[in-house]
Amino acid sequence: MRGPRPEPAEEPPDREWEQDLLLAAAYVSDAQYNRNVPFETSPRAIRLYYFYNHWTLRVATYVFICVDLSLALFEEPALFPLPFLATSIVEVLCLTAFFGRLVHFAKVTPQMVFWKDTKNICILVTIALTLLDLIIYGSLEAVQIHGIRWSRAFRPVFLINFPESRQIRRALRSLRNTLPDILYVFLLFMFSVLIFSLMALKLFGDRGLKTAEGSPYLTNILEIAFELYVLVTTANSPDVMMPAYDFNRWYSLYFIAYIIINTYIFMSVFLAVVYNNYRKHLKNEIRKLVYLKRHKMMEAFKILKVKVGTEFVVREAEWKRLARMVVPDISSSHLELLWRISDEGQKGHVDRMNFLRLADLLNIQVVTVNIRKHPLEAWAPRVYQSSASLFVQRMVRHRAFVWVYDVIILVNAIFIALDERSLFISRAEWFFLCLYVAEILLKLYTYEPRAYLGRKQFWNWFDILIIIAALVATVANATIQSARRYNSQQVLDIVLILRILRLLRVIVSIQRFRVIVTTLVNIGPTVLTFAGLVFVVYYAFAIVGMEVFQGKVRFFDPNFTSPDALVCGNPALRGSAFARARYCKNNFNDLASAFLLLTELTVVNQWHVIAGGFALATHQAAKLYFIFFHVVVVILIVNIFIAFILEAFFVAYSLEKSELETVIEKKIQELGVGIQEEEEQDKKPTDNVGSKDGGSSGGDGDHGGAAAKGLYCRIASNKYRTVDALLQRMFESEIAPDEEGPSLDEILSFSPSDMYVKNPNFENSA
Amino acid sequence: MRGPRPEPAEEPPDREWEQDLLLAAAYVSDAQYNRNVPFETSPRAIRLYYFYNHWTLRVATYVFICVDLSLALFEEPALFPLPFLATSIVEVLCLTAFFGRLVHFAKVTPQMVFWKDTKNICILVTIALTLLDLIIYGSLEAVQIHGIRWSRAFRPVFLINFPESRQIRRALRSLRNTLPDILYVFLLFMFSVLIFSLMALKLFGDRGLKTAEGSPYLTNILEIAFELYVLVTTANSPDVMMPAYDFNRWYSLYFIAYIIINTYIFMSVFLAVVYNNYRKHLKNEIRKLVYLKRHKMMEAFKILKVKVGTEFVVREAEWKRLARMVVPDISSSHLELLWRISDEGQKGHVDRMNFLRLADLLNIQVVTVNIRKHPLEAWAPRVYQSSASLFVQRMVRHRAFVWVYDVIILVNAIFIALDERSLFISRAEWFFLCLYVAEILLKLYTYEPRAYLGRKQFWNWFDILIIIAALVATVANATIQSARRYNSQQVLDIVLILRILRLLRVIVSIQRFRVIVTTLVNIGPTVLTFAGLVFVVYYAFAIVGMEVFQGKVRFFDPNFTSPDALVCGNPALRGSAFARARYCKNNFNDLASAFLLLTELTVVNQWHVIAGGFALATHQAAKLYFIFFHVVVVILIVNIFIAFILEAFFVAYSLEKSELETVIEKKIQELGVGIQEEEEQDKKPTDNVGSKDGGSSGGDGDHGGAAAKGLYCRIASNKYRTVDALLQRMFESEIAPDEEGPSLDEILSFSPSDMYVKNPNFENSA
């Protein structure tokens, strides 16, 4: 009758507690209420659930996924070749692990839920297909026929469907949802390209014009369509026009019309469509998420509620048992503080509205605030408080200290730009290093070390890491140099980069820049979602590319004098733009090269030269591969990326101007037990946070208890939140706290189109 | 005591009547109330005001502006050279005209208002500077010293400050407002480029690597910074990486990091900042505009109000006199209809709320709706109603008629793609032309010609113009051919383009496409604003470029065999990428070439080759000109253009989902005297609009009067509105109808930052 207990909290910044709270409620409650507990509740099932969520198993799954994906490095065409037998054994091992994990998941999930989830079906099908492919390829190999390992392109499926990759799945969903809308625009765009191609054929086809390379100019409709598609990406921008322009000035109008319509207008429309869909679906998902969470909390409330007077409430005892169950290592003072925030009238029970807030409460960081003494002060108070020591501390805290070091960094920058081979300069570098080390030591002496190296003191960490790394590398290099009389190139490169990264610190001293940098740093983690998405797409394209193009283009060492070196080992490339630009190393001969080549294609410029090269080396149809890549990556994914950055900036901007406070935060403020994170952040050399203590505890005697113990709630400032979290918060602030909310089925079938209100709002909508 | 009467209406779609109404109110009113009438009211002043607004004077000013701007075509470096004396006389003439216009304006404006307006100051200063420049240049020329006509770069000032160029001024203001915000991002971006340059110098400078052309690779910090700036525009994308990549695979990481940070993230941030500012200021201007209009109407109300009972109202007689004064040619039935809409309870007077709507009422198009008979029917009813004629009409109205013609167009497309020199194909072209002419004649036979060629029947006009032009051109070509036995190239080209443009009609038959095309066509007019803005910026850059770079690069006919031809007449270009790519015709030797060159720079690709070429031909510092152009045009203007397109799509989208109805429209609907524009549009072959008549007039007898006369209000459908109009409407729907509104001074000092509400709205803000 008892639900499995959730994992002890590893405390990610914003954990979603609702599912755990619901389970714990079923466990806490003595009622036989488990209609909403969708799992077997036998002790064995609970152990299995435990085990499934154990971190070792999760990490193991990650490792297997990585191994499976990295197999492409060892298979033909390989960076580090291994025999087929070895890679196939490893692959089968991975597949077994995935299958085992899936079976395990099936055991802890109700059958119906399991089979409804497309994720599980996807994994099963992919496992089956991969096995099939392995068998076919293996048997063909046995009779010396070279097959194709087509299933390798599906490997990212495992990465996507791993439960923790929710962000990547959402990005993919957003991509899929955009497709129907973008399809019509794309068809129209292709139609426009075709009409212009036809015009070009008629206008220029018979003129006998020649390109700069001397080949005939726009004579074949397919070639024209390709050139015009390339012109949309601007990659062949003036070149494709020059022969016509040289012939007659007026023909340039044709190209200008083409560029305005297809490059500027259509590409902006693509961005508009993608952005609009991204917004729409993002908001829908957030609404779904918020309602789902609320639904779970409501269920938990139903399980625990008792009737007191006219209303249903949850009593203190149950409430605290619940919280303790979900966060086993919660301290009693922490729990007491949370209870004080929840229990409005100190009635010994909470009503539904306050109960619903429990999950949010658990996410509030509670910090122990006391005036921490500097360890040196505790150890040798006399010396630390001496006038010389106090002078040093005052000096370090002074604003001029920062300025002096900014100047030192800039002087250092000039030294770096100068030639480092002179003895004076290399000595100076040691001098600068000493100055930086001294700075860190002085700061550690002045500020409380634990505060100075707090979790969010990004720039302090940055300083220390850069300096320590530079120190180690410089010493290592000096050692190698004096011992063997040669510079290790790798170590030197690292030293150089570290030395230059130090310059970044100057930016942080300037307030205006710090704001922009902070926004950019905040976007960072979510940019990684896109890195995941891009990795998945690149991987699939790379596998296909490697199968089709391997060995067609080869790179020879520049000093190699064979005539083949100049045509990338393929005589078909003689005289091509590809060979002339020395692009031989842009090939599909191993996974790393393929990834780099795809990156170059994403950047777009010269992609037609690369596509043309591979088309010459194999077949003209090869261009389709490159066009398809352009449509998927540049038109869809890059636009979603831009949409994401725009959205992040707009949300950050609209919040900068507003004061979106949750009910809980207001409550915390009222109780006087809150500290703003900004307060900690902004005075960069963090004086101990306790300075706030005196001001806030003076309020009301009754609440002074917790505050005196030094427990405070940390209120996250707006600027440390992600777009997701911000939107959730905005949406939560709009639904009435006592609203029942839609039913579970309604929630799951939300669609973006029923979100729009009748009267768009002027302030915000446009 | 009488205010000058406004101009007779030329009826632009959405005229702003408020100023005229205010003036007319002062005129109508017998009260000595002219505190708010900011002009002299002597008969002479009124005549002057009349004359100032006369269309001949406006057109004349436009002509002088065009002449002044086009002078650059005739001045050194000229497309059509004229002596300095001729151009300077014309210029002085233009300046005199501008000055006269300004003096005239000063006469009809209160002194204080005149001198407060920066537009007027700008024009005055520019006139003075131009005269000064002319005198200096002329006297230097007289003593054989070649000066610089620097004032020519200011000529667009006249275009910008012309009263009708409000849209361009707004775009420029939006540009100026964006500058402070973008400056910090730009500095950060430059800092990042410099840090990466320093790294590149240290990492690659000493390796002795060579580029594909054999020149040293990244050895000079300035050159590196330029190359990296170019990499941000992706124009040298893989090329700049290849030598390092060939040397060591891992160095590619440096370039990937650079591209992600600077090309993707920073460029998106630029777009975000520009877009955000664009939005913010757009909304602020609209708010200002709406409040200003309301303020004027309020003043007019104050002038005319009389007390009836407890409230102030305007009586029917004054109301009608006012309307008649502002629109002298209004018909009495039209006026009666408007009055009926205004006077809610038929009390013979309107209250303030209803009075304020007068300006909007005057903008409502009132159309005479009656079942128009086909002229042929009126002329020969028997024949037109005969069964054969009715059969033809039914056939033409049938859906299959459209399909048959779509097939014909597609077959025609195949014929066009085929070789036209065969006799069969050229005969077929005549056949197709006949088919198209027949289609138009049939449609004109079936549909009422005035309805078929209505003002908004864009595609019908398109059809007819294309066919008539093709007919004329084909006949002309055939005549020339048979007379002189040669094809006129120009005429043939036009025929070809017209023939292919016909294919566009297929798109319009497909509903899904029609929606996108309609949105694009609606954006069209405002895109012209950007054309204006781009023209202004291009003109200034072209003048500077022509002064600096004229004659440095020359184009020789491809058949010209002088060795100079290959190096564009400048030995410094020998072996340069510029000469190799045959870019000689991209030069600043006349205004047309300069504009085309700037267009190429806007498209970005290969801009570094062009910049490099001109730097070689003159001086390395020339690159600064190109970098500056890139920052202004690509980073600022193109981003504003994208922001505009995004905004247009989003506003269109959010309105598609909503029913934003103004009070007036509701009223019109209630009275049953409205017709939706959509109803006219959507059934493309417009049956006479009268079909709606029967359904709507059946309503209430009392209101039937106007409706029976066939007068209806045309309610503009959402899709035929601009972003501006839509936003105005949205904002108007939000301010309470009885709100007093802020004072004039408050309105004029609105700033975007006080627009934001405390709690951002989830549905719309993000």
Side-chain angles (χ1 to χ4, degrees), chain B residues 6 221 270 289 305 311 437 469 519:
Chain B
I221 184 87
F270 280 131
L289 195 68
K305 68 183 175 187
E311 59 173 2
V437 172
T519 314

Side-chain angles (χ1 to χ4, degrees), chain B residues 198-217:
Chain B
L198 212 51
M199 273 193 217
L201 183 68
K202 293 286 138 177
L203 284 179
F204 311 120
D206 297 338
R207 295 272 183 284
L209 300 177
K210 299 268 172 228
T211 63
E213 282 96 39
S215 48
Y217 178 66

Side-chain angles (χ1 to χ4, degrees), chain A residues 526-593:
Chain A
T526 329
V527 168
L528 287 182
T529 304
F530 281 93
L533 181 65
V534 168
F535 176 81
V536 165
V537 176
Y538 273 26
Y539 194 92
F541 271 99
I543 295 286
V544 173
M546 280 155 67
E547 291 292 356
V548 179
F549 300 117
Q550 65 171 291
K552 302 293 182 191
V553 166
R554 278 175 299 142
F555 175 66
F556 295 84
D557 194 87
N559 305 322
F560 194 71
T561 48
S562 134
D564 268 9
L566 282 176
V567 294
C568 310
N570 191 329
L573 290 174
R574 197 174 306 282
S576 67
F578 187 86
R580 238 179 306 122
R582 304 272 171 91
Y583 283 174
C584 307
K585 206 165 180 176
N586 295 327
N587 57 43
F588 284 98
N589 298 350
D590 59 68
L591 195 66
S593 302

Side-chain angles (χ1 to χ4, degrees), chain A residues 530-689:
Chain A
F530 281 93
L533 181 65
V534 168
F535 176 81
V536 165
V537 176
Y538 273 26
Y539 194 92
F541 271 99
I543 295 286
V544 173
M546 280 155 67
E547 291 292 356
V548 179
F549 300 117
Q550 65 171 291
K552 302 293 182 191
V553 166
R554 278 175 299 142
F555 175 66
F556 295 84
D557 194 87
N559 305 322
F560 194 71
T561 48
S562 134
D564 268 9
L566 282 176
V567 294
C568 310
N570 191 329
L573 290 174
R574 197 174 306 282
S576 67
F578 187 86
R580 238 179 306 122
R582 304 272 171 91
Y583 283 174
C584 307
K585 206 165 180 176
N586 295 327
N587 57 43
F588 284 98
N589 298 350
D590 59 68
L591 195 66
S593 302
F595 265 62
L596 197 81
L597 175 53
L598 295 178
T599 311
E600 288 172 11
L601 293 178
T602 307
V603 177
V604 171
N605 197 57
Q606 298 291 72
W607 73 279
H608 61 299
V609 172
I610 296 172
F614 280 96
L616 280 179
T618 55
H619 186 268
Q620 284 298 316
K623 283 177 178 173
L624 289 177
Y625 171 87
F626 295 92
I627 292 177
F628 188 59
F629 181 83
H630 180 264
V631 171
V632 171
V633 173
V634 180
I635 294 189
L636 289 174
I637 295 186
V638 169
N639 274 336
I640 287 199
F641 177 77
I642 295 175
F644 162 73
I645 300 243
L646 288 179
E647 197 60 21
F649 262 75
F650 291 158
V651 170
Y653 188 85
S654 64
L655 269 155
E656 197 185 285
K657 297 270 163 193
S658 76
E659 288 161 15
L660 189 69
E661 241 186 3
T662 61
V663 185
I664 297 177
E665 283 173 9
K666 269 182 215 145
K667 201 68 180 291
I668 292 171
Q669 295 287 12
E670 277 168 32
L671 293 177
V673 290
I675 42 168
Q676 290 284 344
E677 209 154 74
E678 277 158 17
E679 289 168 24
E680 290 177 77
Q681 293 292 325
D682 276 1
K683 25 177 188 164
K684 189 183 133 219
T686 6
D687 264 322
N688 311 341
V689 215

Side-chain angles (χ1 to χ4, degrees), chain B residues 71 417 525 561 615 638 679 705 723:
Chain B
L71 277 180
T561 47
V638 169
E679 289 168 25
V723 178

